[in-house]
Amino acid sequence: LMKAMQENDLFTPILVNQDFEVVDGQHRLEARKRLGLPVPYYWTDGLGLAEVQKLNSTQKGWVNDDYVKAYIELGNQNYVQYEWFRRRYNLPHVPTVWLLGGGDTHNIAQKFKGGKFRVMDLEGAKEKAAMMAQLAPLFSHWKDAPFIKALLFCLNRSGFEFKTFLHRVTQNPTMLKPCTSIDGYMLLIEEVYNYRSAKKVPLRYGH
């Protein structure tokens, strides 16, 4: 356990009852104590050995909200900002992480679970989220992770202006259709952006 925590700490909590007796996770507690690591825990009332045995037979793995709660309780401000941002803009987990993390997707799931997620540009993320929200009345799939990722790529392309894109979508809202991949959305955004334009702007390549 100590070796696994040193290589990739997933921050799995222990479970304690109302008397702060450890009812699940004794080995994880000891391993973290020996390594000098903080100990995340869940507190539950009236839980004994019989209940723990039943819990262990049916317990599912942690979801993202569980990690967020644990790191917020430890005072990690990156996760505090993540929670605020996601609720403020009502976005799914993956687009929220992409926007706040500056578009970095390398091992992002492991970083998020391991407490290593960092908010790189909160103001920039707020600006982009507000910008993208303008598409809500025009495209019901604007929150799709592949669409947001494709749009982030386009925002970094020379010659791409979001105001122009929004204007083109407003004029031709039926051109935006759901896609299943980032590449599909890149192609679609390029087609919409260059629709009836004399000067074509290439957007698809190099992402």
Side-chain angles (χ1 to χ4, degrees):
L1 277 174
M2 291 171 65
K3 182 179 179 181
M5 288 176 181
Q6 289 173 318
E7 292 177 351
N8 185 23
D9 187 2
L10 294 181
F11 217 69
T12 305
I14 66 172
L15 194 64
V16 301
N17 63 17
Q18 68 277 8
D19 297 319
F20 279 87
E21 297 170 333
V22 179
V23 291
D24 185 45
Q26 288 87 349
H27 292 132
R28 294 195 300 276
L29 172 61
E30 183 60 28
R32 300 189 78 83
K33 285 169 61 178
R34 293 186 185 188
L35 291 171
L37 296 173
V39 181
Y41 67 90
Y42 268 149
W43 180 91
T44 186
D45 195 6
L47 195 63
L49 180 59
E51 289 82 7
V52 171
Q53 289 175 338
K54 184 178 180 180
L55 175 67
N56 286 337
S57 67
T58 59
Q59 188 178 41
K60 296 181 179 179
W62 267 26
V63 297
N64 291 315
D65 286 345
D66 295 319
Y67 290 104
V68 172
K69 179 180 178 182
Y71 287 120
I72 287 177
E73 289 178 353
L74 287 173
N76 190 319
Q77 291 302 305
N78 292 284
Y79 290 79
V80 172
Q81 291 179 342
Y82 162 93
E83 181 72 0
W84 174 87
F85 185 89
R86 186 178 174 189
R87 292 183 183 278
R88 169 65 177 81
Y89 295 99
N90 193 26
L91 289 169
H93 167 72
V94 172
T96 298
V97 171
W98 283 347
L99 286 165
L100 291 175
D104 177 24
T105 59
H106 181 65
N107 291 330
I108 191 63
Q110 291 82 357
K111 290 178 182 177
F112 192 85
K113 293 177 181 179
K116 298 179 180 178
F117 168 71
R118 298 291 180 267
V119 175
M120 304 303 295
D121 183 8
L122 179 59
E123 293 305 315
K126 289 162 62 176
E127 181 181 347
K128 290 183 176 69
M131 185 186 300
M132 294 174 179
Q134 296 178 65
L135 293 167
L138 303 167
F139 185 47
S140 61
H141 291 264
W142 75 274
K143 292 183 183 180
D144 286 0
F147 177 74
I148 288 182
K149 189 63 173 180
L151 199 52
L152 286 175
F153 281 132
C154 291
L155 288 171
N156 291 324
R157 291 288 192 271
S158 175
F160 181 86
E161 295 290 340
F162 181 79
K163 288 183 178 180
T164 300
F165 176 67
L166 181 63
H167 177 67
R168 298 270 164 76
V169 174
T170 303
Q171 288 184 319
N172 308 281
T174 59
M175 289 188 68
L176 279 184
K177 301 180 185 300
C179 297
T180 59
S181 67
I182 295 173
D183 285 335
Y185 274 121
M186 289 290 290
L187 174 61
L188 184 63
I189 292 172
E190 185 179 76
E191 289 178 349
V192 173
Y193 194 81
N194 292 319
Y195 183 66
R196 292 183 177 177
S197 175
K199 184 179 180 181
K200 306 297 182 182
V201 178
L203 298 172
R204 280 178 289 168
Y205 303 105
H207 68 278

Short mmCIF file of all heavy atoms in Angstrom, two decimals, residues 32-70:
data_model
loop_
_atom_site.label_atom_id
_atom_site.label_comp_id
_atom_site.label_asym_id
_atom_site.label_seq_id
_atom_site.Cartn_x
_atom_site.Cartn_y
_atom_site.Cartn_z
N ARG A 32 -0.63 5.52 5.47
CA ARG A 32 -0.55 6.97 5.35
C ARG A 32 0.18 7.57 6.55
O ARG A 32 0.91 8.55 6.42
CB ARG A 32 -1.95 7.58 5.19
CG ARG A 32 -2.70 7.08 3.95
CD ARG A 32 -3.98 7.85 3.70
NE ARG A 32 -3.67 9.13 3.08
CZ ARG A 32 -3.46 9.30 1.77
NH1 ARG A 32 -3.51 8.27 0.95
NH2 ARG A 32 -3.19 10.50 1.29
N LYS A 33 -0.03 6.99 7.72
CA LYS A 33 0.68 7.46 8.91
C LYS A 33 2.18 7.29 8.74
O LYS A 33 2.97 8.18 9.04
CB LYS A 33 0.20 6.70 10.15
CG LYS A 33 -1.17 7.13 10.66
CD LYS A 33 -1.71 6.19 11.72
CE LYS A 33 -0.80 6.15 12.95
NZ LYS A 33 -1.37 5.26 13.99
N ARG A 34 2.59 6.12 8.24
CA ARG A 34 4.03 5.85 8.06
C ARG A 34 4.65 6.76 7.01
O ARG A 34 5.82 7.11 7.10
CB ARG A 34 4.23 4.39 7.67
CG ARG A 34 3.85 3.41 8.78
CD ARG A 34 4.22 1.99 8.40
NE ARG A 34 3.77 1.04 9.41
CZ ARG A 34 4.08 -0.25 9.41
NH1 ARG A 34 4.85 -0.74 8.43
NH2 ARG A 34 3.63 -1.04 10.35
N LEU A 35 3.86 7.14 6.02
CA LEU A 35 4.36 8.02 4.95
C LEU A 35 4.22 9.50 5.31
O LEU A 35 4.70 10.36 4.58
CB LEU A 35 3.62 7.75 3.65
CG LEU A 35 3.90 6.39 2.98
CD1 LEU A 35 2.94 6.16 1.83
CD2 LEU A 35 5.35 6.32 2.50
N GLY A 36 3.53 9.79 6.41
CA GLY A 36 3.33 11.18 6.80
C GLY A 36 2.35 11.91 5.90
O GLY A 36 2.46 13.12 5.70
N LEU A 37 1.38 11.17 5.35
CA LEU A 37 0.40 11.76 4.44
C LEU A 37 -0.89 12.10 5.18
O LEU A 37 -1.24 11.45 6.17
CB LEU A 37 0.08 10.77 3.31
CG LEU A 37 1.23 10.39 2.38
CD1 LEU A 37 0.79 9.29 1.43
CD2 LEU A 37 1.71 11.62 1.60
N PRO A 38 -1.62 13.11 4.71
CA PRO A 38 -2.93 13.41 5.31
C PRO A 38 -3.88 12.24 5.10
O PRO A 38 -3.74 11.48 4.13
CB PRO A 38 -3.40 14.65 4.56
CG PRO A 38 -2.64 14.63 3.27
CD PRO A 38 -1.30 14.02 3.60
N VAL A 39 -4.82 12.07 6.01
CA VAL A 39 -5.75 10.93 5.96
C VAL A 39 -7.16 11.42 5.67
O VAL A 39 -7.82 11.99 6.55
CB VAL A 39 -5.73 10.16 7.29
CG1 VAL A 39 -6.68 8.95 7.21
CG2 VAL A 39 -4.30 9.69 7.61
N PRO A 40 -7.66 11.19 4.45
CA PRO A 40 -9.05 11.56 4.16
C PRO A 40 -9.98 10.54 4.81
O PRO A 40 -9.66 9.35 4.88
CB PRO A 40 -9.13 11.48 2.64
CG PRO A 40 -8.12 10.44 2.29
CD PRO A 40 -7.00 10.60 3.29
N TYR A 41 -11.13 10.99 5.28
CA TYR A 41 -12.06 10.05 5.90
C TYR A 41 -13.50 10.49 5.70
O TYR A 41 -13.79 11.66 5.49
CB TYR A 41 -11.77 9.92 7.40
CG TYR A 41 -12.06 11.18 8.20
CD1 TYR A 41 -13.32 11.40 8.77
CD2 TYR A 41 -11.07 12.15 8.39
CE1 TYR A 41 -13.58 12.54 9.50
CE2 TYR A 41 -11.32 13.30 9.11
CZ TYR A 41 -12.58 13.50 9.66
OH TYR A 41 -12.84 14.64 10.38
N TYR A 42 -14.37 9.50 5.76
CA TYR A 42 -15.81 9.74 5.82
C TYR A 42 -16.28 9.40 7.22
O TYR A 42 -15.85 8.40 7.80
CB TYR A 42 -16.55 8.85 4.81
CG TYR A 42 -16.77 9.49 3.46
CD1 TYR A 42 -16.81 8.70 2.31
CD2 TYR A 42 -16.97 10.85 3.33
CE1 TYR A 42 -17.03 9.26 1.07
CE2 TYR A 42 -17.19 11.42 2.09
CZ TYR A 42 -17.23 10.63 0.97
OH TYR A 42 -17.46 11.19 -0.25
N TRP A 43 -17.16 10.23 7.76
CA TRP A 43 -17.72 9.99 9.09
C TRP A 43 -19.15 9.54 8.93
O TRP A 43 -19.92 10.09 8.14
CB TRP A 43 -17.67 11.29 9.90
CG TRP A 43 -18.23 11.17 11.29
CD1 TRP A 43 -17.55 10.86 12.42
CD2 TRP A 43 -19.59 11.39 11.69
NE1 TRP A 43 -18.40 10.85 13.50
CE2 TRP A 43 -19.66 11.18 13.09
CE3 TRP A 43 -20.76 11.73 11.01
CZ2 TRP A 43 -20.84 11.29 13.81
CZ3 TRP A 43 -21.95 11.84 11.72
CH2 TRP A 43 -21.98 11.63 13.11
N THR A 44 -19.52 8.48 9.62
CA THR A 44 -20.90 7.99 9.56
C THR A 44 -21.33 7.52 10.94
O THR A 44 -20.52 6.99 11.71
CB THR A 44 -21.04 6.85 8.53
OG1 THR A 44 -22.41 6.50 8.40
CG2 THR A 44 -20.21 5.64 8.92
N ASP A 45 -22.56 7.74 11.26
CA ASP A 45 -23.08 7.43 12.60
C ASP A 45 -23.64 6.01 12.67
O ASP A 45 -24.29 5.54 11.73
CB ASP A 45 -24.19 8.43 12.95
CG ASP A 45 -24.53 8.41 14.43
OD1 ASP A 45 -23.85 7.71 15.19
OD2 ASP A 45 -25.50 9.09 14.82
N GLY A 46 -23.35 5.32 13.76
CA GLY A 46 -23.96 4.03 14.04
C GLY A 46 -23.48 2.89 13.18
O GLY A 46 -24.21 1.90 12.97
N LEU A 47 -22.28 2.98 12.66
CA LEU A 47 -21.77 1.93 11.78
C LEU A 47 -20.87 0.99 12.56
O LEU A 47 -19.93 1.42 13.23
CB LEU A 47 -20.98 2.55 10.62
CG LEU A 47 -20.69 1.65 9.42
CD1 LEU A 47 -21.99 1.20 8.76
CD2 LEU A 47 -19.83 2.37 8.41
N GLY A 48 -21.19 -0.29 12.49
CA GLY A 48 -20.39 -1.30 13.17
C GLY A 48 -19.85 -2.33 12.20
O GLY A 48 -19.95 -2.18 10.98
N LEU A 49 -19.30 -3.41 12.73
CA LEU A 49 -18.64 -4.42 11.92
C LEU A 49 -19.59 -5.06 10.91
O LEU A 49 -19.24 -5.24 9.75
CB LEU A 49 -18.03 -5.51 12.81
CG LEU A 49 -17.29 -6.63 12.08
CD1 LEU A 49 -16.15 -6.07 11.25
CD2 LEU A 49 -16.77 -7.66 13.08
N ALA A 50 -20.81 -5.40 11.35
CA ALA A 50 -21.76 -6.06 10.45
C ALA A 50 -22.09 -5.17 9.25
O ALA A 50 -22.15 -5.62 8.11
CB ALA A 50 -23.04 -6.43 11.20
N GLU A 51 -22.31 -3.89 9.55
CA GLU A 51 -22.64 -2.95 8.47
C GLU A 51 -21.46 -2.76 7.52
O GLU A 51 -21.64 -2.63 6.30
CB GLU A 51 -23.05 -1.60 9.06
CG GLU A 51 -24.40 -1.60 9.76
CD GLU A 51 -24.30 -2.13 11.18
OE1 GLU A 51 -23.17 -2.35 11.65
OE2 GLU A 51 -25.34 -2.31 11.81
N VAL A 52 -20.26 -2.73 8.07
CA VAL A 52 -19.07 -2.56 7.23
C VAL A 52 -18.87 -3.75 6.31
O VAL A 52 -18.53 -3.60 5.13
CB VAL A 52 -17.81 -2.36 8.11
CG1 VAL A 52 -16.55 -2.42 7.26
CG2 VAL A 52 -17.89 -1.03 8.83
N GLN A 53 -19.11 -4.94 6.81
CA GLN A 53 -18.97 -6.13 5.97
C GLN A 53 -19.95 -6.07 4.80
O GLN A 53 -19.60 -6.41 3.66
CB GLN A 53 -19.22 -7.38 6.81
CG GLN A 53 -18.10 -7.67 7.80
CD GLN A 53 -18.43 -8.84 8.71
OE1 GLN A 53 -19.60 -9.19 8.90
NE2 GLN A 53 -17.40 -9.44 9.28
N LYS A 54 -21.16 -5.62 5.07
CA LYS A 54 -22.16 -5.47 4.00
C LYS A 54 -21.75 -4.38 3.04
O LYS A 54 -21.88 -4.51 1.82
CB LYS A 54 -23.52 -5.16 4.60
CG LYS A 54 -24.64 -5.07 3.56
CD LYS A 54 -25.98 -4.82 4.23
CE LYS A 54 -27.09 -4.73 3.19
NZ LYS A 54 -28.41 -4.47 3.82
N LEU A 55 -21.22 -3.27 3.60
CA LEU A 55 -20.78 -2.15 2.77
C LEU A 55 -19.68 -2.58 1.81
O LEU A 55 -19.69 -2.26 0.63
CB LEU A 55 -20.29 -1.01 3.65
CG LEU A 55 -19.69 0.21 2.95
CD1 LEU A 55 -20.76 0.92 2.14
CD2 LEU A 55 -19.05 1.14 3.95
N ASN A 56 -18.71 -3.33 2.32
CA ASN A 56 -17.58 -3.75 1.50
C ASN A 56 -17.98 -4.66 0.36
O ASN A 56 -17.29 -4.74 -0.66
CB ASN A 56 -16.54 -4.47 2.37
CG ASN A 56 -15.77 -3.50 3.24
OD1 ASN A 56 -15.68 -2.32 2.95
ND2 ASN A 56 -15.21 -4.00 4.34
N SER A 57 -19.11 -5.35 0.52
CA SER A 57 -19.56 -6.27 -0.52
C SER A 57 -20.32 -5.56 -1.63
O SER A 57 -20.52 -6.10 -2.72
CB SER A 57 -20.45 -7.36 0.08
OG SER A 57 -21.65 -6.81 0.56
N THR A 58 -20.76 -4.31 -1.38
CA THR A 58 -21.57 -3.60 -2.37
C THR A 58 -21.01 -2.24 -2.76
O THR A 58 -21.50 -1.60 -3.67
CB THR A 58 -22.99 -3.37 -1.82
OG1 THR A 58 -22.92 -2.61 -0.62
CG2 THR A 58 -23.67 -4.71 -1.52
N GLN A 59 -19.96 -1.78 -2.06
CA GLN A 59 -19.46 -0.42 -2.26
C GLN A 59 -18.90 -0.21 -3.66
O GLN A 59 -18.16 -1.03 -4.18
CB GLN A 59 -18.37 -0.12 -1.23
CG GLN A 59 -17.93 1.33 -1.22
CD GLN A 59 -16.89 1.57 -0.14
OE1 GLN A 59 -15.99 0.76 0.06
NE2 GLN A 59 -17.01 2.68 0.54
N LYS A 60 -19.28 0.90 -4.26
CA LYS A 60 -18.75 1.29 -5.57
C LYS A 60 -17.58 2.23 -5.38
O LYS A 60 -17.36 2.79 -4.31
CB LYS A 60 -19.83 1.98 -6.40
CG LYS A 60 -21.01 1.08 -6.74
CD LYS A 60 -22.03 1.82 -7.58
CE LYS A 60 -23.21 0.93 -7.93
NZ LYS A 60 -24.22 1.64 -8.75
N GLY A 61 -16.80 2.40 -6.43
CA GLY A 61 -15.67 3.31 -6.36
C GLY A 61 -16.09 4.76 -6.27
O GLY A 61 -17.24 5.10 -6.55
N TRP A 62 -15.17 5.61 -5.89
CA TRP A 62 -15.45 7.04 -5.76
C TRP A 62 -15.74 7.66 -7.12
O TRP A 62 -15.15 7.26 -8.13
CB TRP A 62 -14.25 7.73 -5.13
CG TRP A 62 -14.36 7.85 -3.65
CD1 TRP A 62 -15.06 7.07 -2.81
CD2 TRP A 62 -13.72 8.84 -2.84
NE1 TRP A 62 -14.91 7.50 -1.53
CE2 TRP A 62 -14.09 8.58 -1.51
CE3 TRP A 62 -12.88 9.91 -3.11
CZ2 TRP A 62 -13.64 9.36 -0.46
CZ3 TRP A 62 -12.43 10.68 -2.06
CH2 TRP A 62 -12.82 10.42 -0.74
N VAL A 63 -16.62 8.64 -7.12
CA VAL A 63 -16.86 9.45 -8.31
C VAL A 63 -16.18 10.79 -8.10
O VAL A 63 -15.67 11.09 -7.01
CB VAL A 63 -18.37 9.63 -8.57
CG1 VAL A 63 -19.03 8.30 -8.86
CG2 VAL A 63 -19.05 10.30 -7.38
N ASN A 64 -16.17 11.62 -9.15
CA ASN A 64 -15.43 12.88 -9.08
C ASN A 64 -15.90 13.77 -7.92
O ASN A 64 -15.09 14.43 -7.27
CB ASN A 64 -15.57 13.63 -10.40
CG ASN A 64 -14.84 12.94 -11.52
OD1 ASN A 64 -13.70 12.51 -11.36
ND2 ASN A 64 -15.47 12.80 -12.67
N ASP A 65 -17.21 13.79 -7.67
CA ASP A 65 -17.73 14.62 -6.59
C ASP A 65 -17.17 14.21 -5.22
O ASP A 65 -17.00 15.05 -4.34
CB ASP A 65 -19.25 14.57 -6.56
CG ASP A 65 -19.89 15.35 -7.70
OD1 ASP A 65 -19.17 16.17 -8.32
OD2 ASP A 65 -21.08 15.16 -7.96
N ASP A 66 -16.88 12.92 -5.06
CA ASP A 66 -16.30 12.45 -3.79
C ASP A 66 -14.90 13.02 -3.60
O ASP A 66 -14.53 13.44 -2.51
CB ASP A 66 -16.25 10.93 -3.77
CG ASP A 66 -17.63 10.30 -3.79
OD1 ASP A 66 -18.52 10.82 -3.10
OD2 ASP A 66 -17.82 9.29 -4.48
N TYR A 67 -14.10 13.02 -4.68
CA TYR A 67 -12.76 13.58 -4.59
C TYR A 67 -12.80 15.08 -4.33
O TYR A 67 -12.02 15.61 -3.54
CB TYR A 67 -11.99 13.29 -5.88
CG TYR A 67 -11.64 11.84 -6.06
CD1 TYR A 67 -12.36 11.05 -6.94
CD2 TYR A 67 -10.60 11.24 -5.34
CE1 TYR A 67 -12.07 9.69 -7.11
CE2 TYR A 67 -10.30 9.90 -5.50
CZ TYR A 67 -11.04 9.13 -6.39
OH TYR A 67 -10.74 7.80 -6.54
N VAL A 68 -13.73 15.75 -4.99
CA VAL A 68 -13.87 17.20 -4.79
C VAL A 68 -14.18 17.50 -3.32
O VAL A 68 -13.56 18.36 -2.70
CB VAL A 68 -14.98 17.77 -5.70
CG1 VAL A 68 -15.26 19.22 -5.34
CG2 VAL A 68 -14.57 17.66 -7.16
N LYS A 69 -15.13 16.77 -2.77
CA LYS A 69 -15.52 16.98 -1.37
C LYS A 69 -14.34 16.75 -0.44
O LYS A 69 -14.10 17.55 0.48
CB LYS A 69 -16.67 16.05 -1.00
CG LYS A 69 -17.12 16.18 0.44
CD LYS A 69 -18.27 15.22 0.74
CE LYS A 69 -18.68 15.31 2.21
NZ LYS A 69 -19.76 14.35 2.54
N ALA A 70 -13.59 15.69 -0.68
CA ALA A 70 -12.47 15.36 0.19
C ALA A 70 -11.39 16.43 0.15
O ALA A 70 -10.87 16.87 1.19
CB ALA A 70 -11.87 14.00 -0.21
#
